[in-house]
Structures are given as structure tokens and as C-alpha cells.
Amino acid sequence: MTDGALVYRSENQGAASWGVLLKELDHDDPGTVMRTDLAEKSRERWEPWEPGLTAACIEMVMSEVVLFDDGFTDFLEVDAEEAAWEPPLRQLPGVGREMRWFSGEDVLVREFDGFCLNVRARTEEALERLRDAVPGDWLVG
């Protein structure tokens, strides 16, 4: 526990923490909060994050899956000036702040802040199909 919150996630370099306020632990699906690690500790505050712990946990697991650098993963920064990418995938229900999630045959894609794509595929062929469908300067491909 940290300053009035039960922490359920910490960024790997300690830059941020996510938690549930202790006073909300008795709620069925309590809202979550996030706190950035600042040099000036007196300015650190728990800020609202996800409206429910369920959505926050789903987002956490899915994010870790696409960010884990092992297997069939890739990254694409979409040029904001060239128009939004048109995903050849189905969009999943809203989970995660500033994120959209998509899935297709053997792929999971996280679009962060409208321009950054993280991809996890089950097979090399599925990853190649996505790279072909979404042209750009893929990090690995």
C-alpha cells in the first residue's frame, strides 16, 4: 500500500503506479487511480485512471501481452499527418485510456494515443498479413 491506495501495478522503472484508493476497496468494481513518480515528491497525487478495476485489469493484461518483447510482436508509429490508419480488424469494446484495441485472425493490436501501434501475433504469417494490410515503417518487419 502506498499513501492511501492499494497498488496493483508499477511501471518497470518506477515512473508510475496504479492502484485503488483504500476508501473504495469495499465497492464492487472500484475506480482506479494512477500516480506519476515526480522529482518533487510533494507534487505527487493519485489521479483518476479507469472507472473500474475490471477494465483496468483487462487493459493491463492486454498491454503486457502486446509489449512483451518475445515472439511475434512489432511496433508502428503512424504518421499523424498522413491520415488515420484503417484497421483491417474488428475493434474491441473500449478498454484503456487513450487506447483502442483491435483483434483479427491471430493478432491483437493496441493503438495508443491515435498514432502508436503495438502488435502481438500468434504466428509469423498473421504478423506478416497485418504488416501487409497496414503499410508503414514497422520497427521489426
Side-chain angles (χ1 to χ4, degrees), residues 78-83:
V78 178
D79 187 339
E81 304 238 341
E82 290 184 7

Side-chain angles (χ1 to χ4, degrees), residues 1-139:
M1 288 185 257
T2 305
D3 296 333
L6 176 63
V7 174
Y8 66 87
R9 182 182 190 185
S10 293
E11 193 270 337
N12 69 337
Q13 296 175 341
S17 298
W18 292 262
V20 174
L21 295 176
L22 296 178
K23 65 183 180 183
E24 295 187 10
L25 286 176
D26 62 341
H27 297 180
D28 286 339
D29 193 15
T32 64
V33 290
M34 189 273 278
R35 184 172 76 184
T36 305
D37 182 36
L38 302 174
E40 190 178 323
K41 298 298 183 196
S42 65
R43 296 186 64 214
E44 289 183 4
R45 301 280 183 270
W46 287 109
E47 302 291 337
W49 189 249
E50 291 289 343
L53 181 59
T54 301
C57 288
I58 291 169
E59 183 278 324
M60 176 178 61
V61 169
M62 289 174 35
S63 288
E64 293 300 322
V65 165
V66 297
L67 294 174
F68 187 66
D69 190 24
D70 185 27
F72 306 112
T73 62
D74 211 339
F75 171 86
L76 175 66
E77 189 171 322
V78 178
D79 187 339
E81 304 238 341
E82 290 184 7
W85 71 294
E86 288 298 322
L89 311 165
R90 67 181 160 90
Q91 186 170 348
L92 301 175
V95 174
R97 296 166 46 105
E98 302 173 1
M99 290 181 231
R100 292 190 310 163
W101 288 92
F102 300 89
S103 70
E105 186 177 343
D106 293 331
V107 295
L108 178 64
V109 177
R110 178 181 82 163
E111 177 197 67
F112 182 74
D113 204 21
F115 71 92
C116 172
L117 304 182
N118 297 99
V119 178
R120 162 74 63 185
R122 289 183 55 190
T123 66
E124 187 172 350
E125 294 77 21
L127 185 55
E128 284 301 322
R129 279 193 308 271
L130 182 67
R131 288 178 183 141
D132 290 345
V134 182
D137 189 17
W138 288 91
L139 183 64

